[in-house]
């Protein structure tokens, strides 16, 4: 063990240049592997050209790709730079942009260097999983992180920008409002969100056939999300969540997900009653960790590529605590790495296990669920004052 620690303590592993090189290599690897199997990229690209033509963004187009588009009309404009030119170049630039954006977000965060290094190393494999699917989930994760960090830095105007950016594409980023109580400029935050909401609602109109077309597409977007939610219940590649795990293990289609969502929301909200802990940065960071896990565990739209979000949440849970983590916590981190990050990998699990146990029962969600429940218990029972503060007092 000492030799292992000595090996990983070498400067190579703590050099940001090493991590930057790795995180720029990951999208290139994903690009090479998925160059001819990039269905999600074709859907995104198709959304831009469909908007240019004035077509329904949410229609099924099996001639070009195998699924429907499910992102907001604003995304069609956002994706324009990656839609013009040969598809191989657009795919490469999109993959690089995804990785660079999340890397930059982590580097600009308020976490210490050791904490940032841990996040970047621990989440590298999950990042590759997300890049294989070319998913916007990576940006969603970054927008939530940025919203938290910018509120911490009292830059509420730009925090609002990133909350709205993610919301107008995939809705998930609205959970940035979970940090509202930590803002010192609540009125400014609300006003800024309204400002950016108007800007992003109107922005596509000059480019894509005006008011009537864009408004109609918001209606179509709503209908597509309602339909998708119903289709996700037992889908093998969707509902990889706590909701999906219970649904698929039980095999029952008749009960409402509210039986799990309502207790989950109460458990999520309970730590907010500990007002005395708000002044501790570690407590606020742990709330961030809870948010990053909650949105995946309690969403029927959760998929394998979305797990970069809760994976970062797990690391924040581990490193933010002002107390020393014990053996059980270390064991939990190993459990998460093996049974979540590598759950769909050939490296640790044979195909028969993945195809007959892990995927059909959404067991990728199990380690995250265990960590989140422990996190909720800690937030309701532990003291988050820094050890330095306690010792000085």
């Amino acid at each position: 063990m000492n030799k292992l620690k000595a090996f990983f303590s070498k400067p190579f592993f703590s050099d940001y240049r090493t991590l930057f090189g790795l995180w720029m290599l990951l999208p290139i690897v994903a690009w090479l592997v998925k160059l001819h199997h990039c269905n999600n990229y074709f859907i995104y690209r198709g959304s831009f050209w469909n908007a240019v033509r004035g077509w329904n963004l949410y229609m099924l187009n099996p001639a070009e790709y195998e699924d429907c588009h499910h992102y907001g009309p604003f995304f069609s404009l956002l994706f324009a730079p990656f839609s013009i030119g040969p598809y191989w170049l657009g795919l490469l630039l999109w993959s690089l942009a995804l990785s660079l954006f999340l890397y930059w977000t982590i580097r600009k965060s308020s976490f210490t260097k050791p904490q940032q290094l841990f996040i970047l190393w621990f989440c590298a494999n999950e990042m590759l999983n997300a890049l294989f699917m070319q998913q916007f989930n990576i940006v969603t994760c970054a927008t939530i992180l940025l919203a938290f960090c910018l509120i911490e830095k009292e830059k509420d105007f730009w925090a609002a920008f990133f909350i709205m950016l993610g919301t107008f594409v995939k809705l998930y980023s609205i959970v940035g409002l979970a940090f509202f109580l930590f803002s010192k400029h609540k009125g400014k935050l609300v006003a800024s969100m309204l400002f950016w909401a108007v800007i992003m609602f109107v922005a596509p109109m000059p480019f894509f056939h005006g008011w009537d077309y864009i408004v109609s597409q918001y209606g179509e977007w709503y209908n597509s999300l309602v339909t998708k939610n119903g289709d996700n219940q037992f889908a093998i590649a969707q509902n990889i969540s706590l909701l999906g795990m219970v649904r698929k293990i039980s095999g029952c289609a008749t009960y409402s997900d509210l039986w799990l969502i309502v207790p989950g929301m109460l458990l999520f909200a309970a730590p907010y009653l500990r007002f005395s802990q708000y002044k501790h940065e570690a407590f606020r960071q742990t709330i961030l960790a809870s948010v990053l896990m909650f949105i995946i565990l309690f969403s029927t739209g959760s998929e394998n590529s979305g797990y970069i979000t809760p994976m970062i949440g797990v690391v924040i849970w581990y490193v933010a605590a002002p107390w020393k983590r014990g053996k059980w916590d270390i064991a939990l981190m190993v459990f998460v790495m093996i049974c979540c990050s590598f759950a769909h990998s050939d490296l640790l699990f044979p195909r028969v296990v993945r195809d007959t146990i892990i995927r059909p029962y959404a067991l990728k969600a199990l380690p995250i669920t265990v960590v989140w429940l422990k996190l909720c218990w800690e937030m309701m029972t532990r003291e988050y004052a820094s050890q330095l503060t306690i010792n000085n007092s």
Side-chain angles (χ1 to χ4, degrees), residues 126 238-249 293-299 302-304 307 310-311 314 332 335-336 338-341 343-344 357-373:
E126 199 60 53
Q238 300 287 330
N239 207 5
I240 305 175
S241 61
L242 172 59
L243 304 182
M245 185 169 61
V246 173
R247 176 82 62 185
K248 293 171 183 179
I249 290 175
M293 287 183 254
F294 182 87
I295 62 172
I296 295 298
L297 291 177
F298 291 90
S299 169
S302 299
E303 50 198 341
N304 181 39
Y307 269 74
M311 188 65 69
V314 167
L332 268 180
F335 181 42
V336 169
I338 293 175
C339 295
C340 180
S341 186
H344 292 188
I357 299 176
I358 295 176
R359 286 175 176 165
Y361 299 111
L363 293 183
K364 187 179 176 80
L366 179 59
I368 305 297
T369 301
V370 174
V371 171
W372 183 72
L373 291 172

Side-chain angles (χ1 to χ4, degrees), residues 287-326:
I287 289 286
L288 168 63
S290 180
V291 168
L292 293 173
M293 287 183 254
F294 182 87
I295 62 172
I296 295 298
L297 291 177
F298 291 90
S299 169
T300 60
S302 299
E303 50 198 341
N304 181 39
S305 61
Y307 269 74
I308 183 61
T309 300
M311 188 65 69
I312 291 179
V314 167
V315 180
I316 294 172
W317 158 76
Y318 186 86
V319 302
W323 58 84
K324 184 178 179 180
R325 288 294 182 186

Side-chain angles (χ1 to χ4, degrees), residues 246-308:
V246 173
R247 176 82 62 185
K248 293 171 183 179
I249 290 175
S250 68
C252 180
T254 55
Y255 70 86
S256 171
D257 282 329
L258 290 175
W259 286 105
L260 293 172
I261 293 173
V262 171
M265 292 183 68
L266 293 174
L267 196 57
F268 172 81
Y272 280 92
L273 298 176
R274 301 188 70 195
F275 301 109
S276 63
Q277 297 295 314
Y278 283 20
K279 61 181 179 288
H280 303 309
E281 183 180 29
F283 182 79
R284 299 193 302 272
Q285 290 177 345
T286 308
I287 289 286
L288 168 63
S290 180
V291 168
L292 293 173
M293 287 183 254
F294 182 87
I295 62 172
I296 295 298
L297 291 177
F298 291 90
S299 169
T300 60
S302 299
E303 50 198 341
N304 181 39
S305 61
Y307 269 74
I308 183 61

Side-chain angles (χ1 to χ4, degrees), residues 88-370:
W88 62 267
L89 179 61
L91 175 61
L92 176 60
L93 293 176
W94 174 242
S95 300
L96 288 168
L98 290 173
S99 193
L100 182 62
F101 185 42
L102 186 52
Y103 176 86
W104 174 81
T105 298
I106 294 167
R107 288 284 286 110
K108 290 297 181 181
S109 70
S110 56
F111 296 107
T112 64
K113 181 178 179 179
Q115 290 172 335
Q116 290 182 10
L117 292 173
F118 195 2
I119 292 171
L120 291 167
W121 277 116
F122 192 85
C123 299
N125 182 68
E126 199 60 53
M127 183 64 179
L128 184 61
N129 289 338
L131 287 166
F132 278 144
M133 299 301 292
Q134 315 102 45
Q135 282 281 20
F136 189 83
N137 293 318
I138 297 168
V139 179
T140 299
C141 177
T143 58
I144 298 169
L145 286 169
L146 282 168
F148 174 82
C149 293
L150 289 167
I151 288 174
E152 289 282 294
K153 296 176 181 179
E154 298 186 46
K155 298 181 179 180
D156 294 71
F157 180 76
W158 292 109
F161 169 79
F162 286 108
I163 292 173
M164 288 294 98
L165 175 66
T167 302
F168 269 79
V169 174
K170 205 178 177 182
L171 298 183
Y172 283 126
S173 296
I174 197 64
V175 298
L177 289 174
F179 316 128
F180 177 79
L181 292 178
F182 303 149
S183 173
K184 297 178 181 178
H185 312 282
K186 295 178 175 62
K188 181 180 179 181
L189 180 61
V190 172
S192 298
M193 288 179 64
L194 292 174
F195 170 78
W196 287 116
V198 171
I199 294 296
M200 293 177 191
F201 181 79
V202 174
M205 295 179 185
F207 302 94
F208 303 140
H209 305 277
W211 173 274
D212 290 341
Y213 173 71
I214 294 300
V215 170
S216 72
Q217 293 310 295
Y218 275 101
E220 295 294 339
W221 184 29
Y222 171 79
N223 292 333
S224 78
L225 293 178
V226 171
T227 301
K228 185 174 184 289
N229 182 64
D231 294 340
N232 284 342
Q233 298 300 317
F234 289 97
I236 193 72
Q238 300 287 330
N239 207 5
I240 305 175
S241 61
L242 172 59
L243 304 182
M245 185 169 61
V246 173
R247 176 82 62 185
K248 293 171 183 179
I249 290 175
S250 68
C252 180
T254 55
Y255 70 86
S256 171
D257 282 329
L258 290 175
W259 286 105
L260 293 172
I261 293 173
V262 171
M265 292 183 68
L266 293 174
L267 196 57
F268 172 81
Y272 280 92
L273 298 176
R274 301 188 70 195
F275 301 109
S276 63
Q277 297 295 314
Y278 283 20
K279 61 181 179 288
H280 303 309
E281 183 180 29
F283 182 79
R284 299 193 302 272
Q285 290 177 345
T286 308
I287 289 286
L288 168 63
S290 180
V291 168
L292 293 173
M293 287 183 254
F294 182 87
I295 62 172
I296 295 298
L297 291 177
F298 291 90
S299 169
T300 60
S302 299
E303 50 198 341
N304 181 39
S305 61
Y307 269 74
I308 183 61
T309 300
M311 188 65 69
I312 291 179
V314 167
V315 180
I316 294 172
W317 158 76
Y318 186 86
V319 302
W323 58 84
K324 184 178 179 180
R325 288 294 182 186
K327 294 181 180 179
W328 285 109
D329 295 323
I330 296 172
L332 268 180
M333 294 297 284
V334 174
F335 181 42
V336 169
M337 176 59 75
I338 293 175
C339 295
C340 180
S341 186
F342 287 94
H344 292 188
S345 170
D346 294 325
L347 294 177
L348 296 181
F349 295 98
R351 178 177 292 275
V352 65
V353 174
R354 287 183 283 117
D355 290 350
T356 61
I357 299 176
I358 295 176
R359 286 175 176 165
Y361 299 111
L363 293 183
K364 187 179 176 80
L366 179 59
I368 305 297
T369 301
V370 174

